[in-house]
């Protein structure tokens, strides 16, 4: 017997009302993070959430989601046993955003968007996004191989195009745009990582390519020296408290809607205050 709360259905029309009340803008560019289970029993699941979002933003709007790559090769490769390394090097399939599944830990909506008609993929295996709508191509491309959360990326263009960040039942620590803030913050000595992925080159050949970026798993900076909470959640929460966004009910869960530019501005200022001060004190 299913444990779904059938006595509390969440419909498309209800989601539309909740999204409008939360401040999602018609014609806007919206980056969405979601947790369907937190919203209650959404009739129609991920498809209903997406259709409700398009009901609100309309034909002039654009929907964006981080997708990443669920089945990426294990990293770092040089820690694999020799036989496993040889098998991965020789036969791991090249990244293809039309086939490669979105990360499961970001919920069902990104995968539904990845295969949605008209979806435009940015093509970066680690930090890739999908965009659908009038400005999808402008948002998605280009997406640099290196520093893929920084300047001239989909995340930077979301900010420049006055977009919004929307969390539907998803916790504040899923706010991917915070990584853009830490990437562009003017502080030294950021922790960086290198990934290797099989991709297709311009001639359609499978090749291995290195990707260099800030460390978004552990953090690009020593956040534990200044706060005790997870840094993404903390920075998003502080921006929310400062007026960069607002919260409200979505279905039976909580939604957050941020102004992307104000979110990044507040996060950058906080990061620079923390670590520029630390740098001066250690000189």
């Amino acid at each position: 017997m299913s444990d779904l709360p059938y006595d509390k259905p969440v419909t498309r029309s209800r989601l539309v009302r909740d999204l409008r009340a939360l401040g999602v803008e018609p014609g806007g560019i919206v980056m969405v993070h979601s947790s369907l289970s937190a919203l209650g029993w959404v009739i129609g699941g991920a498809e209903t959430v997406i259709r409700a979002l398009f009901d609100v933003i309309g034909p002039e709007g654009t929907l964006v989601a981080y997708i990443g790559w669920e089945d990426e090769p294990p990293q770092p490769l040089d820690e694999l046993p020799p036989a496993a390394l040889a098998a991965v090097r020789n036969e791991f399939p090249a990244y293809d955003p039309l086939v490669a599944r979105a990360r499961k830990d970001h919920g069902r909506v990104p995968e539904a968007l990845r295969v949605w008609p008209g979806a435009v993929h940015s093509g970066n295996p680690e930090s890739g996004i999908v965009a659908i709508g009038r400005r999808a191509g402008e948002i998605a491309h280009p997406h640099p191989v290196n520093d893929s959360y920084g300047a001239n990326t989909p995340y930077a263009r979301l900010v420049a195009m006055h977009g919004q960040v929307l969390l539907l039942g998803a916790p504040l620590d899923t706010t991917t745009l915070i990584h853009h803030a830490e990437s562009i913050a003017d502080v030294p000595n950021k922790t960086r990582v290198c990934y290797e992925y099989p991709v297709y080159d311009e001639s359609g050949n499978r090749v291995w390519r290195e990707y260099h970026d800030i460390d978004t798993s552990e953090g690009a900076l020593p956040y534990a020296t200044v706060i005790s909470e997870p840094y993404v959640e903390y920075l998003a929460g502080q921006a929310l408290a400062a007026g960069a966004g607002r919260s409200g009910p979505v279905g039976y869960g909580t939604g957050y809607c941020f102004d992307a530019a104000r979110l990044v501005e507040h996060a950058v200022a906080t990061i620079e205050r923390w670590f520029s001060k630390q740098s001066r004190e250690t000189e």
Side-chain angles (χ1 to χ4, degrees):
M1 186 70 176
S2 174
D3 59 357
L4 287 172
Y6 290 119
D7 59 331
K8 296 181 178 180
V10 178
T11 62
R12 175 173 168 179
S13 58
R14 175 176 176 172
L15 289 174
V16 168
R17 292 193 299 271
D18 290 346
L19 291 169
R20 286 176 175 153
L22 194 59
V24 178
E25 297 176 351
I29 300 169
V30 181
M31 183 173 192
V32 62
H33 305 269
S34 66
S35 171
L36 278 180
S37 61
L39 304 183
W41 175 41
V42 178
I43 297 176
E47 178 182 344
T48 291
V49 171
I50 293 167
R51 293 195 184 280
L53 284 163
F54 279 122
D55 287 343
V56 177
I57 65 176
E60 295 299 304
T62 303
L63 196 57
V64 181
Y66 165 78
I67 51 175
W69 186 9
E70 170 64 21
D71 300 306
E72 66 180 356
Q75 303 289 338
L77 290 181
D78 58 11
E79 293 185 0
L80 291 174
L85 178 59
V88 168
R89 288 283 190 196
N90 293 332
E91 298 196 33
F92 206 97
Y95 176 72
D96 180 351
L98 298 178
V99 176
R101 296 181 301 158
R103 293 190 191 278
K104 287 182 178 179
D105 59 3
H106 287 265
R108 286 170 278 173
V109 169
E111 175 62 13
L113 285 169
R114 185 187 68 81
V115 298
W116 200 268
V120 178
H121 306 90
S122 70
N124 190 297
E126 198 282 323
S127 57
I129 61 98
V130 61
I132 304 169
R134 189 174 72 84
R135 306 189 74 180
E138 295 177 67
I139 286 284
H141 299 136
H143 200 164
V145 169
N146 298 320
D147 297 307
S148 62
Y149 293 95
N152 198 33
T153 67
Y155 306 101
R157 291 187 289 276
L158 176 72
V159 173
M161 293 179 181
H162 309 288
Q164 294 178 300
V165 175
L166 180 65
L167 279 64
L168 303 178
L172 289 171
D173 66 4
T174 63
T175 312
T176 304
L177 198 62
I178 293 295
H179 297 315
H180 172 63
E182 63 177 331
S183 182
I184 65 173
D186 185 15
V187 295
N189 304 321
K190 295 175 186 176
T191 302
R192 298 182 63 82
V193 291
C194 175
Y195 305 99
E196 290 186 81
Y197 293 113
V199 296
Y200 293 110
D201 65 14
E202 293 75 10
S203 300
N205 300 310
R206 175 184 172 277
V207 297
W208 283 86
R209 180 173 293 158
E210 287 190 351
Y211 291 73
H212 299 267
D213 222 317
I214 60 169
D215 185 352
T216 59
S217 295
E218 301 298 326
L221 292 159
Y223 297 105
T225 64
V226 290
I227 53 172
S228 58
E229 303 98 316
Y231 76 97
V232 172
E233 178 181 357
Y234 181 88
L235 289 169
Q238 289 294 302
L240 183 71
R246 57 178 164 174
S247 63
V250 179
Y252 289 95
T254 300
Y256 302 94
C257 187
F258 289 95
D259 177 285
R262 293 184 66 191
L263 170 64
V264 169
E265 180 182 20
H266 189 278
V268 166
T270 302
I271 292 169
E272 290 181 348
R273 183 175 69 253
W274 284 342
F275 297 108
S276 294
K277 179 181 178 181
Q278 279 196 356
S279 298
R280 290 193 298 269
E281 290 176 347
T282 56
E283 286 178 356

